[in-house]
């Protein structure tokens, strides 16, 4: 196994757009006039601080062009608000959609930015009525806002989380119906899919439970649950590319050895779904 990267400095992501999309994706831009796989997801799919994230590893191993449509802090809304990238994903030979947290979506309690889904825009009247003591104009990020709600009232916070989970399942069913074809649902984290309903504000993807994932299983070709190995987690930020300013952010994301773990699992699944023999 070879993991590149390391040292300090900024990683070049070669940001690019596809078709008429307004979203900047990670490049270099792939030619999509032949067979290709599409990867949708958040920070892990994008591969922040990672020279060779798992979509790149799959491309090299399977000799298939892999379009990385991952976006840092993305939620399901990003794709449902971007028909251009959805059309390209639909046309791909296989689609891998990373399970993203339930917090970064607009819902009956609050709205998020259509492309920067971690940005809090406004509270609805429903949320303002539930938390009349809160001045929502002071929040710019969803996680900060939810943390404050949890501090004020655990019972009311649970009401909000129940709505987020319900909205997530509905939104995921919708996007999976649109994608069609060979679709792999990917769990990629440092822990297994939770079975309980506890809703802490750490441990991405937030608020997603095994029951929620199982609800989606009939709509996908496969569910790939990738829990980074202990050895990969022990490597920490080894092999990652970041400057001193981003050191704390780098420590919170999956490292390159975990991406190898993800590629190992996904390669087996994608070869089976696309009837490809190993070279």
């Amino acid at each position: 196994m070879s993991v590149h990267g390391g040292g300090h400095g900024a990683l070049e992501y070669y940001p690019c757009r596809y078709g008429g999309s307004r979203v900047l994706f990670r490049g270099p831009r792939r030619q999509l006039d032949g067979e290709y796989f599409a990867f949708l997801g958040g920070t892990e799919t994008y591969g922040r601080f990672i020279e060779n994230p798992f979509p790149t590893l799959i491309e090299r191993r399977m000799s298939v062009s892999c379009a990385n449509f991952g976006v840092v802090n993305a939620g399901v809304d990003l794709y449902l608000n971007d028909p251009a990238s959805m059309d390209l994903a639909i046309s791909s030979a296989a689609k891998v959609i990373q399970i993203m947290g339930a917090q970064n979506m607009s819902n009956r309690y609050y709205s998020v930015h259509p492309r920067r889904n971690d940005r809090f825009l406004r509270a609805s009247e429903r949320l303002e009525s539930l938390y009349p003591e809160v001045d929502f104009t002071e929040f710019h990020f969803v996680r900060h806002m939810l943390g404050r709600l949890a501090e004020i009232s655990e019972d009311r916070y649970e009401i909000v989380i129940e709505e987020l989970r319900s909205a997530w399942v509905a939104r995921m069913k919708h996007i999976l119906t649109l994608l069609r074809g060979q679709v792999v649902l990917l769990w990629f984290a440092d822990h297994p899919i939770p079975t309980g309903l506890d809703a802490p504000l750490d441990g991405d993807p937030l608020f997603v439970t095994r029951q929620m994932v199982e609800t989606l299983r009939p709509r996908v070709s496969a569910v790939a649950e990738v829990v980074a190995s202990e050895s990969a987690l022990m490597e920490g930020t080894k092999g990652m590319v970041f400057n001193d300013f981003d050191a704390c952010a780098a420590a919170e994301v999956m490292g390159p050895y975990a991406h190898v773990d993800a590629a190992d699992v996904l390669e087996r699944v994608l070869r089976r779904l696309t009837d490809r023999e190993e070279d």
Side-chain angles (χ1 to χ4, degrees), residues 11-31:
L11 182 61
E12 177 55 71
Y13 297 106
Y14 301 100
C16 64
R17 288 188 172 89
Y18 288 92
S21 175
R22 297 179 61 190
V23 180
L24 279 173
F25 297 108
R26 178 165 181 164
R29 191 177 189 276
R30 275 22 181 206
Q31 293 297 320

PDB file of all heavy atoms in Angstrom, residues 11-31:
ATOM      1  N   LEU A  11      -2.979  21.835  -0.446  1.00  0.00           N
ATOM      2  CA  LEU A  11      -3.190  20.820  -1.466  1.00  0.00           C
ATOM      3  C   LEU A  11      -3.961  21.439  -2.624  1.00  0.00           C
ATOM      4  O   LEU A  11      -4.930  22.167  -2.421  1.00  0.00           O
ATOM      5  CB  LEU A  11      -3.977  19.654  -0.868  1.00  0.00           C
ATOM      6  CG  LEU A  11      -4.263  18.471  -1.778  1.00  0.00           C
ATOM      7  CD1 LEU A  11      -2.970  17.826  -2.263  1.00  0.00           C
ATOM      8  CD2 LEU A  11      -5.115  17.449  -1.031  1.00  0.00           C
ATOM      9  N   GLU A  12      -3.545  21.156  -3.852  1.00  0.00           N
ATOM     10  CA  GLU A  12      -4.231  21.667  -5.032  1.00  0.00           C
ATOM     11  C   GLU A  12      -5.389  20.729  -5.374  1.00  0.00           C
ATOM     12  O   GLU A  12      -5.183  19.547  -5.653  1.00  0.00           O
ATOM     13  CB  GLU A  12      -3.263  21.754  -6.215  1.00  0.00           C
ATOM     14  CG  GLU A  12      -3.906  22.203  -7.520  1.00  0.00           C
ATOM     15  CD  GLU A  12      -4.625  23.526  -7.383  1.00  0.00           C
ATOM     16  OE1 GLU A  12      -3.936  24.553  -7.247  1.00  0.00           O
ATOM     17  OE2 GLU A  12      -5.884  23.527  -7.407  1.00  0.00           O
ATOM     18  N   TYR A  13      -6.601  21.267  -5.322  1.00  0.00           N
ATOM     19  CA  TYR A  13      -7.790  20.461  -5.594  1.00  0.00           C
ATOM     20  C   TYR A  13      -8.285  20.614  -7.037  1.00  0.00           C
ATOM     21  O   TYR A  13      -9.217  19.938  -7.431  1.00  0.00           O
ATOM     22  CB  TYR A  13      -8.923  20.842  -4.637  1.00  0.00           C
ATOM     23  CG  TYR A  13      -8.598  20.580  -3.183  1.00  0.00           C
ATOM     24  CD1 TYR A  13      -8.308  21.637  -2.320  1.00  0.00           C
ATOM     25  CD2 TYR A  13      -8.577  19.288  -2.667  1.00  0.00           C
ATOM     26  CE1 TYR A  13      -8.016  21.408  -0.980  1.00  0.00           C
ATOM     27  CE2 TYR A  13      -8.286  19.050  -1.331  1.00  0.00           C
ATOM     28  CZ  TYR A  13      -8.003  20.110  -0.494  1.00  0.00           C
ATOM     29  OH  TYR A  13      -7.704  19.872   0.832  1.00  0.00           O
ATOM     30  N   TYR A  14      -7.699  21.506  -7.799  1.00  0.00           N
ATOM     31  CA  TYR A  14      -8.080  21.733  -9.197  1.00  0.00           C
ATOM     32  C   TYR A  14      -9.602  21.867  -9.348  1.00  0.00           C
ATOM     33  O   TYR A  14     -10.237  21.115 -10.087  1.00  0.00           O
ATOM     34  CB  TYR A  14      -7.572  20.588 -10.087  1.00  0.00           C
ATOM     35  CG  TYR A  14      -6.080  20.412 -10.043  1.00  0.00           C
ATOM     36  CD1 TYR A  14      -5.511  19.405  -9.253  1.00  0.00           C
ATOM     37  CD2 TYR A  14      -5.234  21.250 -10.755  1.00  0.00           C
ATOM     38  CE1 TYR A  14      -4.127  19.244  -9.183  1.00  0.00           C
ATOM     39  CE2 TYR A  14      -3.846  21.093 -10.694  1.00  0.00           C
ATOM     40  CZ  TYR A  14      -3.303  20.096  -9.908  1.00  0.00           C
ATOM     41  OH  TYR A  14      -1.947  19.932  -9.845  1.00  0.00           O
ATOM     42  N   PRO A  15     -10.213  22.817  -8.641  1.00  0.00           N
ATOM     43  CA  PRO A  15     -11.679  22.931  -8.671  1.00  0.00           C
ATOM     44  C   PRO A  15     -12.205  23.127 -10.083  1.00  0.00           C
ATOM     45  O   PRO A  15     -11.606  23.820 -10.905  1.00  0.00           O
ATOM     46  CB  PRO A  15     -11.956  24.150  -7.790  1.00  0.00           C
ATOM     47  CG  PRO A  15     -10.652  24.889  -7.696  1.00  0.00           C
ATOM     48  CD  PRO A  15      -9.589  23.864  -7.818  1.00  0.00           C
ATOM     49  N   CYS A  16     -13.331  22.491 -10.353  1.00  0.00           N
ATOM     50  CA  CYS A  16     -13.891  22.529 -11.707  1.00  0.00           C
ATOM     51  C   CYS A  16     -15.413  22.434 -11.635  1.00  0.00           C
ATOM     52  O   CYS A  16     -15.980  22.062 -10.603  1.00  0.00           O
ATOM     53  CB  CYS A  16     -13.321  21.374 -12.548  1.00  0.00           C
ATOM     54  SG  CYS A  16     -13.790  19.737 -11.933  1.00  0.00           S
ATOM     55  N   ARG A  17     -16.052  22.752 -12.732  1.00  0.00           N
ATOM     56  CA  ARG A  17     -17.501  22.602 -12.857  1.00  0.00           C
ATOM     57  C   ARG A  17     -17.808  21.598 -13.960  1.00  0.00           C
ATOM     58  O   ARG A  17     -17.037  21.429 -14.894  1.00  0.00           O
ATOM     59  CB  ARG A  17     -18.175  23.943 -13.158  1.00  0.00           C
ATOM     60  CG  ARG A  17     -18.198  24.903 -11.979  1.00  0.00           C
ATOM     61  CD  ARG A  17     -19.062  26.127 -12.286  1.00  0.00           C
ATOM     62  NE  ARG A  17     -19.253  26.961 -11.103  1.00  0.00           N
ATOM     63  CZ  ARG A  17     -18.446  27.955 -10.745  1.00  0.00           C
ATOM     64  NH1 ARG A  17     -17.391  28.242 -11.504  1.00  0.00           N
ATOM     65  NH2 ARG A  17     -18.686  28.660  -9.665  1.00  0.00           N
ATOM     66  N   TYR A  18     -18.964  20.970 -13.840  1.00  0.00           N
ATOM     67  CA  TYR A  18     -19.425  20.042 -14.862  1.00  0.00           C
ATOM     68  C   TYR A  18     -20.745  20.551 -15.433  1.00  0.00           C
ATOM     69  O   TYR A  18     -21.659  20.918 -14.676  1.00  0.00           O
ATOM     70  CB  TYR A  18     -19.635  18.649 -14.283  1.00  0.00           C
ATOM     71  CG  TYR A  18     -18.360  17.915 -13.946  1.00  0.00           C
ATOM     72  CD1 TYR A  18     -17.802  18.000 -12.669  1.00  0.00           C
ATOM     73  CD2 TYR A  18     -17.724  17.119 -14.887  1.00  0.00           C
ATOM     74  CE1 TYR A  18     -16.630  17.313 -12.349  1.00  0.00           C
ATOM     75  CE2 TYR A  18     -16.553  16.426 -14.575  1.00  0.00           C
ATOM     76  CZ  TYR A  18     -16.018  16.535 -13.310  1.00  0.00           C
ATOM     77  OH  TYR A  18     -14.862  15.850 -13.004  1.00  0.00           O
ATOM     78  N   GLY A  19     -20.850  20.557 -16.764  1.00  0.00           N
ATOM     79  CA  GLY A  19     -22.088  20.974 -17.396  1.00  0.00           C
ATOM     80  C   GLY A  19     -22.502  22.354 -16.965  1.00  0.00           C
ATOM     81  O   GLY A  19     -21.684  23.278 -16.857  1.00  0.00           O
ATOM     82  N   GLY A  20     -23.764  22.519 -16.657  1.00  0.00           N
ATOM     83  CA  GLY A  20     -24.276  23.818 -16.229  1.00  0.00           C
ATOM     84  C   GLY A  20     -24.329  23.978 -14.727  1.00  0.00           C
ATOM     85  O   GLY A  20     -24.993  24.896 -14.220  1.00  0.00           O
ATOM     86  N   SER A  21     -23.611  23.127 -13.992  1.00  0.00           N
ATOM     87  CA  SER A  21     -23.645  23.194 -12.536  1.00  0.00           C
ATOM     88  C   SER A  21     -22.980  24.471 -12.027  1.00  0.00           C
ATOM     89  O   SER A  21     -21.982  24.936 -12.571  1.00  0.00           O
ATOM     90  CB  SER A  21     -22.937  21.978 -11.938  1.00  0.00           C
ATOM     91  OG  SER A  21     -22.871  22.094 -10.523  1.00  0.00           O
ATOM     92  N   ARG A  22     -23.526  25.023 -10.948  1.00  0.00           N
ATOM     93  CA  ARG A  22     -22.937  26.179 -10.285  1.00  0.00           C
ATOM     94  C   ARG A  22     -21.987  25.762  -9.169  1.00  0.00           C
ATOM     95  O   ARG A  22     -21.356  26.601  -8.536  1.00  0.00           O
ATOM     96  CB  ARG A  22     -24.046  27.063  -9.709  1.00  0.00           C
ATOM     97  CG  ARG A  22     -24.978  27.661 -10.759  1.00  0.00           C
ATOM     98  CD  ARG A  22     -26.061  28.497 -10.105  1.00  0.00           C
ATOM     99  NE  ARG A  22     -25.513  29.618  -9.363  1.00  0.00           N
ATOM    100  CZ  ARG A  22     -26.221  30.399  -8.548  1.00  0.00           C
ATOM    101  NH1 ARG A  22     -27.520  30.147  -8.368  1.00  0.00           N
ATOM    102  NH2 ARG A  22     -25.654  31.397  -7.901  1.00  0.00           N
ATOM    103  N   VAL A  23     -21.890  24.463  -8.939  1.00  0.00           N
ATOM    104  CA  VAL A  23     -21.079  23.949  -7.837  1.00  0.00           C
ATOM    105  C   VAL A  23     -19.657  23.663  -8.322  1.00  0.00           C
ATOM    106  O   VAL A  23     -19.456  23.098  -9.394  1.00  0.00           O
ATOM    107  CB  VAL A  23     -21.699  22.660  -7.269  1.00  0.00           C
ATOM    108  CG1 VAL A  23     -20.856  22.127  -6.112  1.00  0.00           C
ATOM    109  CG2 VAL A  23     -23.137  22.915  -6.806  1.00  0.00           C
ATOM    110  N   LEU A  24     -18.681  24.061  -7.512  1.00  0.00           N
ATOM    111  CA  LEU A  24     -17.285  23.723  -7.790  1.00  0.00           C
ATOM    112  C   LEU A  24     -16.970  22.369  -7.166  1.00  0.00           C
ATOM    113  O   LEU A  24     -17.097  22.185  -5.953  1.00  0.00           O
ATOM    114  CB  LEU A  24     -16.349  24.791  -7.222  1.00  0.00           C
ATOM    115  CG  LEU A  24     -16.167  26.062  -8.046  1.00  0.00           C
ATOM    116  CD1 LEU A  24     -15.352  27.085  -7.266  1.00  0.00           C
ATOM    117  CD2 LEU A  24     -15.489  25.757  -9.378  1.00  0.00           C
ATOM    118  N   PHE A  25     -16.566  21.420  -8.023  1.00  0.00           N
ATOM    119  CA  PHE A  25     -16.216  20.096  -7.560  1.00  0.00           C
ATOM    120  C   PHE A  25     -14.703  19.922  -7.589  1.00  0.00           C
ATOM    121  O   PHE A  25     -13.973  20.728  -8.155  1.00  0.00           O
ATOM    122  CB  PHE A  25     -16.876  19.031  -8.434  1.00  0.00           C
ATOM    123  CG  PHE A  25     -18.380  19.072  -8.383  1.00  0.00           C
ATOM    124  CD1 PHE A  25     -19.106  19.525  -9.479  1.00  0.00           C
ATOM    125  CD2 PHE A  25     -19.059  18.664  -7.255  1.00  0.00           C
ATOM    126  CE1 PHE A  25     -20.492  19.567  -9.446  1.00  0.00           C
ATOM    127  CE2 PHE A  25     -20.446  18.699  -7.205  1.00  0.00           C
ATOM    128  CZ  PHE A  25     -21.169  19.155  -8.311  1.00  0.00           C
ATOM    129  N   ARG A  26     -14.239  18.819  -7.032  1.00  0.00           N
ATOM    130  CA  ARG A  26     -12.807  18.537  -7.045  1.00  0.00           C
ATOM    131  C   ARG A  26     -12.391  18.034  -8.426  1.00  0.00           C
ATOM    132  O   ARG A  26     -13.040  17.187  -9.016  1.00  0.00           O
ATOM    133  CB  ARG A  26     -12.462  17.488  -5.981  1.00  0.00           C
ATOM    134  CG  ARG A  26     -10.975  17.134  -5.991  1.00  0.00           C
ATOM    135  CD  ARG A  26     -10.550  16.396  -4.758  1.00  0.00           C
ATOM    136  NE  ARG A  26      -9.123  16.094  -4.808  1.00  0.00           N
ATOM    137  CZ  ARG A  26      -8.388  15.733  -3.780  1.00  0.00           C
ATOM    138  NH1 ARG A  26      -8.949  15.614  -2.587  1.00  0.00           N
ATOM    139  NH2 ARG A  26      -7.091  15.484  -3.913  1.00  0.00           N
ATOM    140  N   GLY A  27     -11.298  18.577  -8.931  1.00  0.00           N
ATOM    141  CA  GLY A  27     -10.762  18.153 -10.205  1.00  0.00           C
ATOM    142  C   GLY A  27      -9.515  17.298 -10.016  1.00  0.00           C
ATOM    143  O   GLY A  27      -9.258  16.802  -8.915  1.00  0.00           O
ATOM    144  N   PRO A  28      -8.738  17.151 -11.074  1.00  0.00           N
ATOM    145  CA  PRO A  28      -8.982  17.681 -12.411  1.00  0.00           C
ATOM    146  C   PRO A  28     -10.284  17.139 -13.013  1.00  0.00           C
ATOM    147  O   PRO A  28     -10.714  16.045 -12.678  1.00  0.00           O
ATOM    148  CB  PRO A  28      -7.774  17.202 -13.214  1.00  0.00           C
ATOM    149  CG  PRO A  28      -6.717  16.914 -12.188  1.00  0.00           C
ATOM    150  CD  PRO A  28      -7.460  16.422 -10.994  1.00  0.00           C
ATOM    151  N   ARG A  29     -10.851  17.919 -13.901  1.00  0.00           N
ATOM    152  CA  ARG A  29     -12.127  17.581 -14.524  1.00  0.00           C
ATOM    153  C   ARG A  29     -11.992  16.315 -15.358  1.00  0.00           C
ATOM    154  O   ARG A  29     -11.076  16.168 -16.156  1.00  0.00           O
ATOM    155  CB  ARG A  29     -12.581  18.747 -15.407  1.00  0.00           C
ATOM    156  CG  ARG A  29     -14.010  18.651 -15.906  1.00  0.00           C
ATOM    157  CD  ARG A  29     -14.348  19.915 -16.703  1.00  0.00           C
ATOM    158  NE  ARG A  29     -15.744  19.989 -17.029  1.00  0.00           N
ATOM    159  CZ  ARG A  29     -16.305  19.387 -18.076  1.00  0.00           C
ATOM    160  NH1 ARG A  29     -15.551  18.664 -18.894  1.00  0.00           N
ATOM    161  NH2 ARG A  29     -17.586  19.514 -18.310  1.00  0.00           N
ATOM    162  N   ARG A  30     -12.903  15.377 -15.165  1.00  0.00           N
ATOM    163  CA  ARG A  30     -12.901  14.133 -15.923  1.00  0.00           C
ATOM    164  C   ARG A  30     -13.721  14.269 -17.210  1.00  0.00           C
ATOM    165  O   ARG A  30     -14.699  15.004 -17.235  1.00  0.00           O
ATOM    166  CB  ARG A  30     -13.511  13.000 -15.096  1.00  0.00           C
ATOM    167  CG  ARG A  30     -12.615  12.227 -14.129  1.00  0.00           C
ATOM    168  CD  ARG A  30     -11.400  12.880 -13.677  1.00  0.00           C
ATOM    169  NE  ARG A  30     -10.621  12.021 -12.773  1.00  0.00           N
ATOM    170  CZ  ARG A  30      -9.810  12.486 -11.882  1.00  0.00           C
ATOM    171  NH1 ARG A  30      -9.672  13.801 -11.714  1.00  0.00           N
ATOM    172  NH2 ARG A  30      -9.083  11.684 -11.134  1.00  0.00           N
ATOM    173  N   GLN A  31     -13.298  13.551 -18.230  1.00  0.00           N
ATOM    174  CA  GLN A  31     -14.080  13.461 -19.455  1.00  0.00           C
ATOM    175  C   GLN A  31     -15.190  12.439 -19.235  1.00  0.00           C
ATOM    176  O   GLN A  31     -14.926  11.287 -18.884  1.00  0.00           O
ATOM    177  CB  GLN A  31     -13.186  13.038 -20.627  1.00  0.00           C
ATOM    178  CG  GLN A  31     -12.150  14.067 -21.022  1.00  0.00           C
ATOM    179  CD  GLN A  31     -12.774  15.367 -21.510  1.00  0.00           C
ATOM    180  OE1 GLN A  31     -13.776  15.363 -22.233  1.00  0.00           O
ATOM    181  NE2 GLN A  31     -12.194  16.485 -21.097  1.00  0.00           N
TER     182      GLN A  31
END
